[in-house]
Amino acid sequence: MSDAGASDPNAVPATPESEPEPEPEAPPPAEEDNGHRAVSVGIIGAGWAGLAAASDLCDAGIEVTVYEASHTPGGRARRVDNHSNASVRPMDNGQHLMLGAYTQTLALMRRLGQNPDKLLRRIPLTLQALDGRFRLHAPRMNAPWHGVMALATAQGLGVGDRLKAIIGMARLRQRSWAVDNTHTVADLMRSLGQTPRSMQLLWEPLCLAALNTPATQASAVIFARVLRDSLDGATENSDLLIPRTDLSALWADAAVKRCNMRYGVKVQKLHLIEGGVAVETVTAEGVDYVGHDAVIVATPPSATRRMLADMQDVDYLLEQLNAFQYLPIATLNVRFASPVRLPLPMMMLHENPARQHLGQWVFDRGALLGLPPVNGEFTIVVSAREQLISLSREEVINGLLAQLGEQWAARSAKPLPAIAAYELFVDKRATFAAVRGLARPGVASPWERIMFAGDWTDTGYPSVLEGAVRSGVKAAQKTLSRLQ
């Protein structure tokens, strides 16, 4: 569940050929009160990875400058301007769901003075279909019994389906969640004896929610790691955490107050200079170079590849960055003309691609944001459906609204209220595909003073917000160790 935007925020305007480019300079001699030059780190990208790195560096007393092509912090999890009246509150570029196992994200929020208990709606793991065909609920029991009981009492699965699911998870746990790294999630579930019905109602939806990658393509290793962290740790690790505020307000707004922010600045290239790295930016005024002691590149692989293309001895790294494949996410926000609420804050939708019913989840935005009863707002999410790319916006919207109406009618004799407004966000390259065998770079680059951060680095997690935060924290730690 991710961000939207048809244009590339890192696209660089052409540089006028008539203007000579200035030479990169060494880091500027910024001074602290004691007369010593302050250590300067530039961070490219104000997404969750870049701002997590910035926060840790600020804690260490580093002077941090963040370059961000847009004008709002948060990257693919940020607030967007609402011009459609599809909500009475600020909207996001995508609906995000977190887990209680996202320990580093929760710790970062607390360090920034943001209270997760107030800003996130925490509910025990509950998966319930809007049309009533399926329900799974994890009781408050110690691991692994909360998972066992959730599977044993799942409604919509037969006795054989439930028994095989319990046995399959027990086998994984006995193996310490180690799986064949050549397997997809579909391969893994077949090897564990899972039934077609449990695949359709349970494992495939979970795989899409966790990895934003279809089970027939998704890495079994990454999926097993997510299952381990959520089902085999503390009971609260499997809780669902749903934001009660816009995503920038969750913690990004607090993080940027501590940094020197340069919004609307597109970074074109990096240059190695004596004692550090120069950031080359292009603006309407022309080319500019700013020197830093170190730089953390916290942009998507495609933008990172462009910035490094002129560096020497980078063929292998560029091949890694070029190997990433991307999958779309669509988010439809719907505001109703009269009050309406879902039975739960988040519910499952059943897909029917032939009818353009592509939604997998629906969120009760009105309930989550604490809107007055007069406001009914739902958010429908579509993950990893490449069919989105070939459909017009009208086809996507009509298909999702029809799907919502039909599955609502299956559980309620009262029809949905009339729709007052809606807004569709589609990001055709929302997340990388977490496929098997994907070689992901670490945070350390081949150059001493350049580090990487992003959910695409080798975090062990899929393209999720916790992976972004973990990579940012690790990149900050590596930067500090190299600056010593």
Side-chain angles (χ1 to χ4, degrees):
M1 305 176 186
S2 183
D3 65 53
S7 62
D8 180 1
N10 294 293
V12 180
T15 304
E17 294 183 1
S18 59
E19 298 182 12
E21 296 185 3
E23 291 297 322
E25 299 178 355
E31 293 188 354
E32 297 179 332
D33 293 338
N34 60 11
H36 295 292
R37 186 176 70 80
V39 176
S40 168
V41 174
I43 296 179
I44 306 170
W48 282 40
L51 292 180
S55 295
D56 276 21
L57 291 173
C58 287
D59 287 343
I62 303 297
E63 182 181 278
V64 176
T65 299
V66 180
Y67 301 87
E68 170 55 39
S70 74
H71 295 273
T72 306
R76 65 183 180 88
R78 71 182 186 276
R79 175 178 56 245
V80 296
D81 292 332
N82 175 24
H83 301 296
S84 64
N85 296 318
S87 177
V88 298
R89 293 277 293 276
M91 293 172 61
D92 298 313
N93 57 354
Q95 176 69 52
H96 285 266
L97 173 70
M98 299 190 289
L99 296 174
Y102 286 8
T103 53
Q104 293 205 25
T105 300
L106 298 175
L108 174 60
M109 290 179 66
R110 294 187 180 99
R111 290 200 303 274
L112 291 168
Q114 302 293 100
N115 187 346
D117 296 332
K118 291 184 178 180
L119 296 174
L120 297 169
R121 172 77 176 269
R122 179 183 286 267
I123 58 176
L125 176 62
T126 303
L127 305 176
Q128 182 169 325
L130 180 60
D131 63 5
R133 289 167 52 191
F134 177 76
R135 185 178 189 274
L136 178 144
H137 174 75
R140 287 295 186 196
M141 300 174 69
N142 291 333
W145 299 111
H146 65 316
V148 172
M149 289 302 298
L151 293 171
T153 58
Q155 301 174 16
L157 297 179
V159 174
D161 302 321
R162 298 196 299 270
L163 182 60
K164 288 182 178 181
I166 293 170
I167 293 173
M169 291 303 98
R171 288 172 59 190
L172 266 184
R173 192 167 186 265
Q174 287 173 348
R175 299 179 195 167
S176 298
W177 306 92
V179 301
D180 188 332
N181 62 9
T182 67
H183 277 186
T184 65
V185 171
D187 295 332
L188 172 64
M189 291 305 164
R190 276 193 296 269
S191 73
L192 295 173
Q194 301 307 287
T195 65
R197 186 164 183 80
S198 66
M199 283 296 298
Q200 177 191 8
L201 295 180
L202 176 61
W203 301 120
E204 288 177 354
L206 277 180
C207 181
L208 279 175
L211 276 65
N212 192 45
T213 307
T216 53
Q217 304 172 28
S219 164
V221 172
I222 297 177
F223 188 61
R225 189 170 291 128
V226 173
L227 291 176
R228 177 199 67 192
D229 289 356
S230 56
L231 296 179
D232 204 23
T235 302
E236 60 269 20
N237 283 6
S238 64
D239 287 350
L240 305 177
L241 307 180
I242 311 175
R244 294 178 182 268
T245 184
D246 72 76
L247 293 169
S248 293
L250 203 58
W251 66 269
D253 286 343
V256 300
K257 293 177 181 178
R258 311 172 69 200
C259 308
N260 172 27
M261 297 298 300
R262 295 194 61 188
Y263 290 114
V265 175
K266 302 174 178 66
V267 174
Q268 183 174 14
K269 295 178 183 177
L270 300 181
H271 301 273
L272 299 180
I273 56 177
E274 182 179 357
V277 183
V279 174
E280 177 185 338
T281 64
V282 179
T283 65
E285 289 74 33
V287 178
D288 186 25
Y289 293 88
V290 181
H292 296 283
D293 294 287
V295 166
I296 296 176
V297 181
T299 55
S302 57
T304 302
R305 186 176 69 247
R306 171 179 51 76
M307 281 182 251
L308 302 176
D310 292 343
M311 306 283 273
Q312 295 182 351
D313 302 321
V314 293
D315 289 348
Y316 177 70
L317 176 59
L318 296 180
E319 287 178 7
Q320 282 189 310
L321 295 173
N322 198 46
F324 284 90
Q325 305 169 44
Y326 301 92
L327 291 169
I329 291 181
T331 307
L332 178 65
N333 201 81
V334 182
R335 182 168 66 84
F336 295 95
S338 55
V340 63
R341 286 287 187 263
L342 290 174
L344 295 172
M346 180 188 83
M347 304 193 76
M348 301 170 65
L349 296 172
H350 294 294
E351 297 179 79
N352 187 342
R355 302 181 60 202
Q356 298 172 3
H357 291 187
L358 305 178
Q360 293 125 3
W361 306 93
V362 57
F363 293 78
D364 191 331
R365 179 176 160 86
L368 288 168
L369 296 182
L371 300 180
V374 67
N375 299 116
E377 292 189 21
F378 292 174
T379 298
I380 305 171
V381 178
V382 183
S383 295
R385 287 296 175 245
E386 294 183 281
Q387 185 178 349
L388 279 170
I389 298 173
S390 62
L391 296 175
S392 68
R393 293 179 64 85
E394 291 72 20
E395 288 173 324
V396 173
I397 292 168
N398 292 338
L400 293 178
L401 293 178
Q403 179 185 16
L404 176 66
E406 287 184 17
Q407 296 187 27
W408 173 275
R411 63 163 298 278
S412 175
K414 186 178 180 180
L416 283 169
I419 294 173
Y422 53 77
E423 178 72 19
L424 176 68
F425 299 96
V426 178
D427 188 345
K428 297 179 180 180
R429 295 165 61 89
T431 62
F432 70 84
V435 296
R436 57 185 172 180
L438 178 64
R440 295 158 65 181
V443 298
S445 81
W447 308 280
E448 184 73 13
R449 297 298 180 92
I450 298 176
M451 259 59 67
F452 300 134
D455 57 13
W456 52 271
T457 61
D458 191 11
T459 65
Y461 266 58
S463 184
V464 294
L465 298 176
E466 174 74 359
V469 171
R470 290 189 180 203
S471 76
V473 170
K474 192 172 182 179
Q477 293 171 346
K478 180 65 71 173
T479 300
L480 290 171
S481 69
R482 289 187 172 184
L483 289 173
Q484 289 178 350

